[in-house]
Amino acid sequence: MNNERIFLDEASDLFRIRQDRRSFMGRLLLGSAGAALGSILPAAPARAAGGAERESTVSFATGSDRREMIYQTLKPLEKEIRAGIGNRQVIIKPNLVGNEQQLCATHADAIRGVLDFLKPFHKKTVLIAESTGRRYNDSSGTFRHFELYNYPALEREYNAKLYDLNTRPTRTEWVLDAAGHPLDIRVIDSFSDPGNYVISLCMLKTHNALVATLSAKNIMFSAPINDNIRHEKKRMHSAGLKNLNFNVFMLAKSLGPELAVIDGFEGMEGNGPTRGTPVEHRVALASTDFIAADRLGCQLMGLDPGDVGYLSYCINAGIGQGDLSKIRIIGGDPSKHTIQYALHETAYQQIAGWKQ
């Protein structure tokens, strides 16, 4: 990546070893526990192969209408998106944190922009799906969040259905706990089902543990289920800064979305993801390479991707394209629309925590 190339600390060489997964995990984690974990990890998805070498495309738009901007970022990618969807079930995964402040969550008009784009060629019902990490005294759960951000109207306007992913079956993934030991977590099967076409639709937003919320984090933090058996999201969050970043990377290898859409019409800076302040940015981007989308998202926020642990791991492992010289931009120059976002008050500790 020229001058922007990201180097990991003592693990830098290990992330270039992708041919032998078991050897890779054994060397990284050390000891028999690491070797055992490596032996049970699933293979990386096909789209990860050659990620560091291939060119990726990101569609970029600016404007004064959120809904129209989202639509315009998708149009240049229509041929590729239509081919990817085929006869699959489309799932739009927003980012709904359950805070009464609209700034915290994916706006319903961003959803409308995606549905406007899909409507002419995709006739099946689109699922607008979320899995809340919050627990309430009643059974409202995720649907309380849908109502909070005015999502029920979407079912009346489109061939769309609101869906609680916490009701889905699960499969087991292996990540790390705070001590670096293998930790089993149950993840929602919808994110890995080949019959689904998953769209990550989030906003540009700072975060209180992982520096920034982008498309990868939107999916990987939602994948662990929150049900009556066990709160898997809470288990994953308990891993500590260093391992939490690594765990997002581990899940990204098999649970990455088919399409990333990032709404920067109004971003959040400062103490995100729930107590930040607005940034009138008026930008949007989309890509079928979610790592390339997140890389450009960092640029738009004035953020060094080398400070975002999970993104650094994904780029170095070749899950997607992180080299700006190999990312083709359609629709404008994002570098001319960079705004230096104020980071969370604990950002220094977050960055130092995963790099130590």
Side-chain angles (χ1 to χ4, degrees):
M1 294 174 55
N2 299 325
N3 293 333
E4 296 183 344
R5 186 173 184 178
I6 301 169
F7 287 91
L8 299 176
D9 47 11
E10 72 275 9
S12 59
D13 290 335
L14 299 182
F15 278 92
R16 297 182 180 87
I17 303 175
R18 297 191 297 275
Q19 291 78 13
D20 189 339
R21 181 66 50 76
R22 296 185 182 183
S23 173
F24 162 66
M25 289 305 302
R27 292 176 59 189
L28 181 64
L29 300 177
L30 302 178
S32 59
L37 176 59
S39 69
I40 55 179
L41 285 171
R47 62 171 169 267
E53 290 77 28
R54 71 170 188 270
E55 182 182 78
S56 293
T57 298
V58 175
S59 178
F60 175 73
T62 62
S64 58
D65 184 284
R66 184 197 308 268
R67 180 175 176 174
E68 180 64 17
M69 283 167 52
I70 297 296
Y71 177 84
Q72 291 300 331
T73 62
L74 294 170
K75 283 299 289 183
L77 305 175
E78 181 173 349
K79 182 177 180 180
E80 183 178 1
I81 294 171
R82 291 182 66 158
I85 292 176
N87 196 42
R88 300 161 77 187
Q89 172 65 61
V90 174
I91 297 176
I92 300 175
K93 166 60 181 72
N95 180 243
L96 306 180
V97 298
N99 187 298
E100 292 185 0
Q101 184 184 14
Q102 172 62 70
L103 182 62
C104 297
T106 302
H107 199 286
D109 279 348
I111 301 283
R112 288 184 175 94
V114 176
L115 293 171
D116 289 343
F117 167 75
L118 294 172
K119 188 175 180 178
F121 66 87
H122 186 67
K123 304 306 179 183
K124 298 176 68 174
T125 300
V126 175
L127 298 183
I128 303 168
E130 178 61 294
S131 59
T132 180
R134 298 198 177 194
R135 290 192 168 181
Y136 300 98
N137 293 328
D138 55 31
S139 60
S140 59
T142 298
F143 280 90
R144 180 180 293 196
H145 294 200
F146 289 144
E147 293 172 2
L148 187 62
Y149 301 115
N150 303 309
Y151 275 36
L154 297 170
E155 290 187 317
R156 299 189 293 270
E157 298 170 20
Y158 299 91
N159 183 17
K161 180 178 176 60
L162 303 179
Y163 193 84
D164 183 1
L165 290 170
N166 282 327
T167 64
R168 290 294 307 167
T170 63
R171 66 183 180 85
T172 299
E173 286 278 358
W174 291 86
V175 293
L176 301 179
D177 66 13
H181 300 144
L183 176 71
D184 63 302
I185 58 169
R186 293 174 302 122
V187 298
I188 298 163
D189 67 349
S190 300
F191 295 109
S192 58
D193 187 337
N196 293 335
Y197 186 92
V198 178
I199 301 173
S200 175
L201 176 52
C202 62
M203 57 185 289
L204 295 176
K205 185 167 62 170
T206 53
H207 196 260
N208 60 3
L210 298 182
V211 184
T213 291
L214 296 164
S215 61
K217 186 203 141 302
N218 180 41
I219 298 296
M220 307 319 148
F221 266 32
S222 293
I225 199 165
N226 171 18
D227 61 10
N228 293 328
I229 299 175
R230 196 167 61 186
H231 197 328
E232 303 291 3
K233 289 178 173 59
K234 185 176 181 180
R235 278 163 59 80
M236 181 169 167
H237 277 69
S238 67
L241 291 174
K242 190 176 187 69
N243 289 343
L244 185 58
N245 276 281
F246 187 74
N247 289 345
V248 172
F249 155 66
M250 292 291 286
L251 295 182
K253 293 186 295 180
S254 58
L255 304 182
E258 278 73 19
L259 175 64
V261 183
I262 300 179
D263 173 18
F265 184 79
E266 185 178 49
M268 176 187 281
E269 67 178 355
N271 289 343
T274 60
R275 297 188 294 113
T277 54
V279 179
E280 295 186 6
H281 207 157
R282 306 303 189 253
V283 296
L285 57 87
S287 179
T288 55
D289 180 345
F290 70 100
I291 298 301
D294 287 0
R295 173 64 182 86
L296 265 294
C298 284
Q299 177 177 317
L300 288 167
M301 297 173 72
L303 181 62
D304 183 349
D307 286 340
V308 183
Y310 65 88
L311 184 57
S312 297
Y313 292 148
C314 289
I315 290 173
N316 279 273
I319 290 177
Q321 186 53 261
D323 185 341
L324 288 178
S325 70
K326 296 179 182 178
I327 297 176
R328 183 171 69 97
I329 309 297
I330 301 173
D333 184 355
S335 67
K336 295 180 179 180
H337 299 274
T338 294
I339 294 179
Q340 188 69 53
Y341 280 45
L343 300 182
H344 194 278
E345 61 188 15
T346 65
Y348 176 81
Q349 291 93 325
Q350 293 177 45
I351 295 167
W354 79 265
K355 287 186 175 182
Q356 67 184 3

